[in-house]
């Protein structure tokens, strides 16, 4: 039976239409048709073009941003900051209009000169004290108490601003020049060991006790670790003045 079937198949399939025969005999009747293999060709062709276009776009955007920044800077710079002249032999400081000094037994010197170019206050010039160590007497610029000026803010020539750690802090300002460089230095008076001045961001603190050495003698004002050189003083929080004094460094 099997043999005769095979013979029949061989015979039938040896005729010229053998292909047709094999298709008919396929098990499920499913004829695998060769599929067209053209589909993927379209996709990769456009890719490099898109990349190039993107790069060009980025370059264009960068150029636009730079132009905008330049314009902004120019606008900000246009009203030139007002200045007062520097002095190599007098200590100068910008005093906002709300600042007033008292004589807290260290002195209250009147300014030798003032410069009124700047708004909101004036730059005052003071003669140097004889000593680099603050002492009772008459050579201090004067004193401001935290009680009378609790939002006191002192900015140094580098633009760092300092505030009181407590309204109990009292600051005496000591003018001193040496080697052609002058400053207005903060001598601190407070009962607490830790209170004094602190930078606006809280990263640095100078306490009143740190201005005393191991023998309880006052440290020289030229030690920048323990004294702030005041470029501006105000009683209404830390608002930088556009008026810079250059009495120091
Ligand atoms: C400030 O007080 C001190 C000490 O009491 C005194 O020697 C000095 O003359 C006073 N100065 C002024 C300008 O009042």
């Amino acid at each position: 039976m099997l043999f005769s079937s095979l013979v029949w198949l061989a015979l039938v399939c040896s005729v010229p239409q053998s292909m047709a025969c094999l298709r008919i005999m396929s098990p499920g009747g499913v004829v695998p048709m060769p599929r067209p293999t053209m589909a993927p060709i379209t996709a990769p062709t456009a890719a490099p073009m898109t990349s190039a276009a993107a790069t060009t776009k980025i370059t264009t955007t960068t150029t636009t941003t730079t132009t905008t920044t330049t314009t902004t800077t120019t606008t900000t710079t246009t009203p030139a900051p007002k200045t007062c002249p520097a002095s190599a032999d007098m200590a100068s400081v910008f005093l906002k209009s709300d600042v007033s000094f008292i004589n807290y037994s260290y002195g209250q010197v009147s300014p030798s000169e003032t410069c009124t170019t700047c708004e909101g206050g004036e730059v005052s010039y003071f003669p140097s004290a004889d000593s680099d160590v603050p002492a009772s007497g008459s050579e201090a610029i004067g004193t401001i108490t935290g009680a009378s000026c609790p939002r006191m803010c002192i900015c140094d020539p580098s633009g760092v601003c300092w505030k009181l750690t407590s309204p109990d802090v009292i600051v005496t300002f000591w003018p001193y020049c040496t080697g052609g460089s002058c400053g207005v230095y903060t001598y601190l008076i407070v009962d607490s060991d830790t209170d004094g001045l602190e930078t606006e961001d809280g990263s640095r603190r100078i306490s009143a006790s740190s201005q005393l050495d191991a023998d309880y003698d006052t440290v020289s004002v030229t030690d920048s670790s323990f004294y702030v050189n005041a470029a501006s003083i105000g009683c209404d929080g830390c608002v930088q003045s556009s008026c810079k004094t250059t009495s120091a460094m």
Side-chain angles (χ1 to χ4, degrees):
M1 187 64 183
L2 176 65
F3 175 77
S4 65
S5 288
L6 286 172
V7 169
W8 180 84
L9 205 123
L11 285 172
V12 173
C13 290
S14 61
V15 300
Q17 291 88 358
S18 60
M19 288 303 286
C21 169
L22 280 172
R23 284 183 190 180
I24 290 159
M25 294 298 287
S26 273
V30 179
V31 180
M33 296 290 282
R35 298 208 165 195
T37 50
M38 308 263 308
I41 294 169
T42 20
T45 318
M49 294 290 288
T50 313
S51 285
T55 310
T56 311
K57 268 190 175 178
I58 289 163
T59 309
T60 310
T61 311
T62 308
T63 309
T64 310
T65 308
T66 308
T67 309
T68 309
T69 308
T70 307
T71 309
T72 309
T73 308
T74 308
T75 310
T76 312
T77 315
T78 305
K82 294 173 176 177
T83 56
C84 285
S87 171
D89 59 1
M90 275 192 287
S92 63
V93 58
F94 178 76
L95 302 175
K96 292 195 179 167
S97 313
D98 56 10
V99 166
S100 59
F101 295 108
I102 57 164
N103 183 4
Y104 200 75
S105 86
Y106 291 89
Q108 187 181 355
V109 172
S110 296
S112 305
E113 289 172 33
T114 56
C115 164
T116 57
T117 312
C118 302
E119 281 144 39
E122 59 187 37
V123 173
S124 296
Y125 297 80
F126 298 93
S128 175
D130 292 332
S131 171
D132 63 340
V133 176
S136 300
S138 54
E139 292 189 311
I141 290 170
T143 296
I144 306 174
T145 65
S148 69
C149 178
R151 298 187 67 219
M152 192 189 312
C153 183
I154 301 163
C155 299
D156 67 25
S158 71
V160 175
C161 295
W162 301 71
K163 54 189 181 152
L164 307 183
T165 62
S166 153
D168 295 335
V169 177
I170 294 167
V171 188
T172 293
F173 295 88
W174 195 257
Y176 188 69
C177 297
T178 181
S181 128
C182 299
V184 170
Y185 301 100
T186 54
Y187 177 57
L188 303 173
I189 304 161
V190 65
D191 286 337
S192 155
D193 275 351
T194 52
D195 279 319
L197 299 175
E198 191 173 64
T199 53
E200 255 189 307
D201 65 4
S203 64
R204 275 190 71 197
R205 180 183 279 225
I206 294 175
S207 65
S209 59
S210 71
Q211 295 182 334
L212 300 174
D213 66 18
D215 298 324
Y216 294 98
D217 290 326
T218 303
V219 173
S220 166
V221 294
T222 56
D223 192 331
S224 60
S225 298
F226 305 121
Y227 292 87
V228 174
N229 179 3
S232 70
I233 306 167
C235 286
D236 192 25
C238 293
V239 181
Q240 289 265 10
S241 167
S242 64
C243 194
K244 302 292 180 195
T245 70
T246 48
S247 69
M249 300 352 130

